[in-house]
Amino acid sequence: MKYISTRGQTEPKPFSQVLLMGLAPDGGLMLPEQYPTVSETMLANWRNLSYKNLAFEIISLFATDIPTEDLHDIVERTYTEDIFGTKEITPVRTLKDGIKIQALSNGPTLAFKDMAMQFLGNMFEYVLAKENKQLNILGATSGDTGSAAEYALRGKKGVNVFMLSPDGKMSAFQRAQMYSLQDANIHNIAVKGMFDDCQDIVKAIQNDADFKRQYHISTVNSINWGRIVAQVVYYFAGYFRATQNNSERVSFCVPSGNFGNVCAGHIAKQMGLPIERLIVATNENNVLEQFFKTGEYLPRNAAHTYVTSSPSMDISKASNFERFIFDVMGRDANQIQALWTQVADGTGFDLSHKLNEIHEKYGFVADKSTHTDRLATIKEVYETDGELIDPHTADGIKVARAVRLPNETIVCLETALAAKFENTINEAVGKVSVPRPEKLMGLEDLPQRVQVVENDANSVKTIIRETIG
Ligand SMILES: *Cc1c(COP(=O)(O)O)cnc(C)c1O
């Protein structure tokens, strides 16, 4: 299988090369020339597979240039009970009102990003060793992505991680999670500024082509194809756990920000998984809700992005959205170039003439949830079902309840655990103790390893230079 760019100006490439790429050189996103399709026989054979074996079957359809035994070994080491807390890896449970929840957040950092990042970390190490290469990952984080990347790449050969975070702006838990890592290849850099400043520094360094080349700088952001492909697996796993046989259909409800998670659901549906609807849940930053209701895509800038109590969804320009629109536009790269020129100049675009197809053929709908909804949903689930859900998952459940049709099976994806967001939990239900996995008890008391730097790119470059030598 070869991969092409949504902008059409990049030579087709095999999986192992796409894996280490961020944006394509033409500014587009990479994706398969065509999606593999899954026959009824394959679906029937997959129903009772373990998560590992299912992951192997699905990923091997996409990673056709990785030898079978090697992929098997990587998947085997990634999806273990030790790392993800249960043998099932992503168990599905049912709330009293019939809505189902698929647990995706029992990995090391308690958010769904581990599902893909743990795989990517092992893949990175494997590909780098094979090509005898060294890679330095530079990133900025306000919480979830950075810690998932660090836990995925800690101790891996051939990789250093330089992760910028805003000094003093993350929760005590988030700081402890990242800064307590003592692995020699993990470098936490706290910048005296805000998250946007960290991102600007990363961009400035990315734009310094000489530095980037000399120090082999790369990123792992949400557009990385390896992450998307690993996420496709849990849609299949969730479908099998939520149904008795393959004639049933299931809808998924996905708390969304950069459209990476639900993009994997779109691909699973295109492959032939019997998905009825893909329900996009947004918070107050509802650019995607607007699009799926009106056909108008009007991304906003940072100044028009609200800070909310589901912070990982505070995004107003969904970086993976281009992959979906590429399919909607019949994979016409020229049209994508034209549309994203309008995104770049701030006008956005209008696909209202495609809205019917987006609903009917692709199954997409959307709705939003606000701070008040989130608190009410957390409280309601706590009182009715006796469990605490995180604010992002609460957005999903609120939206699933709002759009649910009679007899529709909806699986809500649990994108984080409540333990990460104690303040919001307490605001919703009062002072209760929020359960935390055994492994993370006393996390905040561990010694921390972080360098604080001034808010400028040169200080960060100096650290990279001195570290790599
Ligand atoms: C990253 C994240 C999201 C958003 O996922 P996208 O793939 O960016 O749409 C939602 N919830 C949590 C907890 C996250 O960490």
Side-chain angles (χ1 to χ4, degrees):
M1 174 180 286
K2 284 281 188 349
Y3 288 79
I4 55 172
S5 163
T6 51
R7 307 279 174 100
Q9 307 292 317
T10 302
E11 269 300 294
K13 291 184 193 307
F15 179 82
S16 61
Q17 282 180 35
V18 173
L19 194 72
L20 303 182
M21 271 171 80
L23 276 184
D26 60 14
L29 307 186
M30 301 301 284
L31 80 191
E33 249 166 358
Q34 67 215 120
Y35 300 126
T37 52
V38 171
S39 66
E40 279 181 34
T41 318
M42 285 159 89
L43 261 192
N45 291 340
W46 289 357
R47 174 166 281 277
N48 295 313
L49 293 183
S50 66
Y51 195 93
K52 284 176 189 182
N53 289 341
L54 182 62
F56 171 77
E57 293 294 334
I58 294 169
I59 297 171
S60 62
L61 298 175
F62 292 94
T64 49
D65 66 331
I66 308 285
T68 307
E69 323 74 82
D70 296 352
L71 183 64
H72 214 281
D73 172 62
I74 289 167
V75 167
E76 189 78 24
R77 283 188 284 122
T78 303
Y79 296 107
T80 67
E81 183 173 359
D82 186 43
I83 296 171
F84 290 100
T86 61
K87 233 198 233 49
E88 285 173 285
I89 308 297
T90 65
V92 174
R93 61 189 190 273
T94 309
L95 295 179
K96 291 232 163 66
D97 69 350
I99 298 273
K100 293 180 188 294
I101 300 182
Q102 185 177 8
L104 302 178
S105 302
N106 297 304
T109 72
L110 312 189
F112 87 98
K113 298 205 166 61
D114 291 328
M115 292 300 307
M117 288 300 308
Q118 287 289 318
F119 170 73
L120 200 63
N122 287 327
M123 274 315 297
F124 262 46
E125 186 177 52
Y126 167 81
V127 171
L128 291 172
K130 214 163 191 184
E131 297 179 2
N132 201 10
K133 275 192 196 153
Q134 178 85 25
L135 205 61
N136 296 298
I137 302 290
L138 174 67
T141 189
S142 55
D144 291 342
T145 314
S147 57
E150 290 190 352
Y151 279 78
L153 295 169
R154 61 187 296 197
K156 296 277 186 265
K157 293 186 202 72
V159 196
N160 277 295
V161 180
F162 297 90
M163 191 58 68
L164 312 188
S165 52
D167 186 31
K169 302 291 188 305
M170 298 191 300
S171 72
F173 178 87
Q174 286 175 317
R175 281 199 302 273
Q177 213 175 18
M178 291 178 54
Y179 303 166
S180 67
L181 289 178
Q182 300 295 332
D183 307 80
N185 71 329
I186 303 294
H187 310 280
N188 285 303
I189 302 174
V191 175
K192 292 184 187 166
M194 306 294 289
F195 170 62
D196 284 340
D197 298 314
C198 299
Q199 241 176 350
D200 288 345
I201 292 175
V202 171
K203 276 190 203 136
I205 297 178
Q206 291 283 351
N207 288 334
D208 182 343
D210 289 338
F211 187 89
K212 202 178 156 189
R213 197 174 325 104
Q214 185 178 357
Y215 293 99
H216 310 288
I217 302 291
S218 184
T219 51
V220 264
N221 45 26
S222 73
I223 58 165
N224 181 284
W225 172 254
R227 288 177 65 178
I228 306 278
V229 84
Q231 290 169 357
V232 171
V233 177
Y234 56 69
Y235 283 88
F236 281 83
Y239 171 79
F240 291 132
R241 295 296 94 79
T243 55
Q244 302 295 320
N245 64 67
N246 298 342
S247 63
E248 292 177 52
R249 296 179 75 79
V250 161
S251 298
F252 284 91
C253 183
V254 188
S256 295
N258 268 322
F259 207 76
N261 195 349
V262 76
C263 184
H266 161 67
I267 293 168
K269 183 169 162 70
Q270 295 309 302
M271 290 169 72
L273 185 67
I275 294 177
E276 186 66 30
R277 300 200 292 172
L278 288 161
I279 304 161
V280 174
T282 75
N283 65 15
E284 291 88 335
N285 297 296
N286 63 335
V287 168
L288 291 171
E289 182 217 14
Q290 227 174 31
F291 174 77
F292 287 109
K293 284 186 174 165
T294 67
E296 278 188 296
Y297 184 57
L298 303 170
R300 303 170 195 153
N301 57 20
H304 293 91
T305 303
Y306 305 104
V307 175
T308 76
S309 48
S310 44
S312 299
M313 293 155 67
D314 292 348
I315 289 161
S316 297
K317 202 181 258 182
S319 54
N320 279 292
F321 193 51
E322 186 172 333
R323 286 194 164 107
F324 171 62
I325 298 300
F326 185 61
D327 287 341
V328 170
M329 301 313 286
R331 303 201 136 206
D332 179 344
N334 290 330
Q335 293 207 53
I336 295 300
Q337 288 201 29
L339 293 177
W340 259 265
T341 304
Q342 290 171 256
V343 169
D345 70 22
T347 49
F349 55 74
D350 182 353
L351 294 183
S352 48
H353 60 291
K354 291 274 187 189
L355 203 52
N356 239 351
E357 188 185 338
I358 288 168
H359 292 159
E360 301 302 322
K361 175 173 171 200
Y362 295 102
F364 271 93
V365 289
D367 208 353
K368 84 165 171 184
S369 162
T370 64
H371 182 67
T372 313
D373 295 326
R374 209 168 290 136
L375 295 183
T377 305
I378 292 170
K379 185 164 194 282
E380 216 271 321
V381 170
Y382 182 60
E383 285 170 355
T384 307
D385 293 275
E387 62 166 286
L388 289 168
I389 52 170
D390 106 285
H392 307 79
T393 308
D395 287 333
I397 291 180
K398 149 72 173 61
V399 167
R401 286 175 169 170
V403 306
R404 191 181 188 188
L405 301 169
N407 299 321
E408 187 178 23
T409 302
I410 303 185
V411 176
C412 288
L413 301 187
E414 182 173 54
T415 55
L417 292 194
K420 291 192 93 160
F421 301 97
E422 282 191 14
N423 290 344
T424 304
I425 301 299
N426 290 333
E427 191 180 341
V429 302
K431 271 276 168 210
V432 296
S433 88
V434 184
R436 196 188 270 198
E438 190 78 47
K439 288 193 237 192
L440 297 175
M441 297 292 183
L443 180 72
E444 289 91 335
D445 304 326
L446 297 174
Q448 299 191 356
R449 201 166 146 263
V450 58
Q451 307 178 65
V452 181
V453 299
E454 293 302 324
N455 179 6
D456 79 307
N458 280 328
S459 323
V460 174
K461 281 184 182 172
T462 304
I463 292 182
I464 294 175
R465 258 190 227 106
E466 286 173 356
T467 307
I468 302 169

